[in-house]
Amino acid sequence: MPETIVFGLSGPSSSGKTTVALNLIKLFPRTVPDAHIPINPKTKDQDWDCPEAFDMDAMVSAIQSARRQLEGKGSIEFRTSYASQWANPAADVDRMLPTEALNALRNMVLQKLHISSAEEMPFSLVLVDGILLFYDDFDESSTPGAECDAGVFICAQYKTLKQRREARSGYVTKEGIWNDPPGYFDNVVWPNFVKYHCKLIAANPEAEGGKHASASLGHFGNVAICSSDAPFAHTLEACVESIINQWNCRQ
C-alpha cells in the first residue's frame, strides 16, 4: 500500500484553509479529509476560537485511524468533497482558480513526482484543517498538530480576515446556525489568534496581520507560512510544494 502523508492546514478564521483543502483534493486523488463550546470570560459569548472548543483527543484518534487504514490495516473511502463548519459552494471554490491554472498545477505534481498519471500517485494524503492545529506547544504528543508530517499555516492581513469573517452569513454547527455577535472578530477571533500563536508569530512577525507581498513568508519547524493576500494560485502552489517536499524527504 502507498505511504501516507498527514498534512495540516491551519491559520486564523477566514484565511482560506478550506478553500485550499477543496482544491488540494482535486490535485491529490488519494485524499481523506478528515459540541461543548466554552464561554469567553470577557464577552460572555461562546468561544469557538480557543483550544478547549475542540476535542483534541478525538481528532488525534481520527488522524491515527486514517493513517492505519490507508497503510493497509483497514479500508477507507477517498473523498471528492470536504465537510466544513459552513457551506463552500462548488461554484465559489471553482472561481478561485481558473481551469488552466488548475491543470498547470496538476502537471506540476506529475512532473515533480515523476509519474505519468494521477493513478500512479505514490502516497495517500490525510488533510487536517483547523484554526488551532499549530498553536503554541502543538508539538506535544497529544495534539493533532503533532500528528502532521508537514503543514501550512495560512495567514492574511487583519483587515482582510475581518472583512471576510463579517461578510459570512453564519456557520452550520450541530446545534444549528451560529451567527457572530457584534464585535466578535475584534473581541474574540483576533485576540485568540494572537494569544495562542505567540511562538509562531515571534518567529514570523508577518503572520500577525502584516503587509503580505507574496504567498511564502517563511517556516516554523516543518510548517510553511503562507499568505492568502497573495493570488490564490500562489497560495495553493505553496501547499503543493510543501506536500511534495515532504514526500521527497522520505526518498
Side-chain angles (χ1 to χ4, degrees):
M1 296 294 290
E3 291 189 43
T4 300
I5 294 175
V6 178
F7 190 75
L9 284 167
S10 194
S13 174
S14 304
S15 59
K17 301 177 294 299
T18 302
T19 304
V20 168
L22 286 162
N23 278 278
L24 286 175
I25 290 172
K26 299 176 183 179
L27 299 171
F28 296 94
R30 296 182 58 84
T31 296
V32 180
D34 183 76
H36 292 287
I37 306 301
I39 301 298
N40 184 282
K42 176 182 176 182
T43 67
K44 306 306 179 183
D45 293 317
Q46 287 185 314
D47 189 343
W48 298 85
D49 292 77
C50 65
E52 293 77 19
F54 300 87
D55 189 338
M56 297 293 187
D57 290 339
M59 290 178 70
V60 168
S61 178
I63 295 168
Q64 292 175 343
S65 176
R67 189 193 292 271
R68 285 195 302 269
Q69 293 178 74
L70 286 168
E71 292 180 348
K73 304 175 180 66
S75 61
I76 196 164
E77 179 184 356
F78 294 108
R79 304 287 185 86
T80 56
S81 61
Y82 190 79
S84 181
Q85 283 183 310
W86 67 94
N88 289 71
D92 289 353
V93 173
D94 291 341
R95 276 197 293 270
M96 295 297 296
L97 195 66
T99 301
E100 297 78 9
L102 183 64
N103 288 337
L105 278 174
R106 282 197 178 104
N107 290 332
M108 185 188 84
V109 170
L110 298 180
Q111 291 171 7
K112 288 184 175 289
L113 292 175
H114 308 291
I115 57 179
S116 58
S117 69
E119 287 70 28
E120 300 174 25
M121 194 67 62
F123 57 83
S124 300
L125 188 66
V126 177
L127 282 180
V128 187
D129 170 356
I131 60 172
L132 287 163
L133 284 183
F134 305 129
Y135 74 99
D136 290 351
D137 301 323
F138 77 88
D139 53 349
E140 295 180 358
S141 60
S142 59
T143 67
E147 294 293 324
C148 296
D149 300 309
V152 166
F153 186 90
I154 305 174
C155 58
Q157 296 181 63
Y158 163 87
K159 64 180 182 180
T160 303
L161 298 172
K162 182 174 181 178
Q163 181 181 35
R164 291 174 182 170
R165 176 83 183 211
E166 294 182 348
R168 288 180 175 163
S169 57
Y171 289 82
V172 179
T173 74
K174 291 181 178 180
E175 291 76 27
I177 303 296
W178 163 267
N179 292 294
D180 288 349
Y184 193 76
F185 183 87
D186 285 320
N187 293 329
V188 177
V189 176
W190 183 256
N192 276 6
F193 160 59
V194 175
K195 174 181 178 180
Y196 293 112
H197 295 90
C198 293
K199 294 180 181 178
L200 185 148
I201 291 171
N204 298 269
E206 279 292 301
E208 190 185 3
K211 183 180 292 186
H212 305 138
S214 63
S216 180
L217 299 177
H219 286 79
F220 184 63
N222 67 341
V223 179
I225 313 297
C226 298
S227 169
S228 61
D229 285 312
F232 180 75
H234 296 176
T235 305
L236 184 59
E237 183 175 349
C239 293
V240 170
E241 292 278 6
S242 184
I243 292 169
I244 292 175
N245 287 342
Q246 169 59 210
W247 171 251
N248 289 337
C249 287
R250 301 183 180 190
Q251 304 311 299

